[in-house]
Amino acid sequence: MTRIPLDVTLRNISNELARLSAIAANVDEVMGDLVTKLPPDDMSHQAAMQDVDLLRQSLDCLMVLLSNVAEQQDVSSGVLAPDAGQGVYLRDLRDAVLTSYQAS
């Protein structure tokens, strides 16, 4: 069985996340254009727009995070969290992914 190096796998995942982030950005833009055409008192799509924007931002941050991890030299003993989190602007996502939880 052929093994794919971890850094290559992480880079491939990062590339796929970039593709999905671009799709989410297009959806976000189209939804924004549609909502601006609604009457000013119609806010029914506001939550959906915010969800799509969060999806787009989350995919973008995950792409950066995976790319940063792929750049680290030796992750066999763990990931350097400050380096991996560099450029990940969503704090909640960064903390959720880069926090080490102790099993109780």
Side-chain angles (χ1 to χ4, degrees):
M1 181 178 294
T2 303
R3 291 182 182 263
I4 300 171
L6 180 60
D7 63 326
V8 172
T9 303
L10 293 173
R11 179 71 60 211
N12 290 345
I13 294 170
S14 178
N15 291 340
E16 284 303 302
L17 285 170
R19 185 179 64 79
L20 294 172
S21 180
I23 292 170
N26 287 337
V27 170
D28 189 30
E29 186 175 325
V30 168
M31 283 185 65
D33 291 344
L34 291 174
V35 170
T36 59
K37 295 176 182 166
L38 294 174
D41 60 341
D42 186 353
M43 300 302 285
S44 61
H45 294 85
Q46 186 77 17
M49 277 189 55
Q50 290 175 340
D51 286 345
V52 170
D53 187 48
L54 178 60
L55 171 65
R56 177 190 59 77
Q57 290 180 36
S58 296
L59 289 168
D60 185 50
C61 286
L62 286 171
M63 174 197 62
V64 169
L65 186 118
L66 280 171
S67 180
N68 290 345
V69 172
E71 294 296 320
Q72 292 188 12
Q73 294 300 315
D74 181 16
V75 295
S76 62
S77 62
V79 171
L80 296 172
D83 294 345
Q86 190 71 30
V88 178
Y89 53 87
L90 292 178
R91 183 189 45 147
D92 289 346
L93 183 141
R94 184 180 59 242
D95 292 347
V97 173
L98 296 175
T99 300
S100 179
Y101 297 100
Q102 299 295 324
S104 50

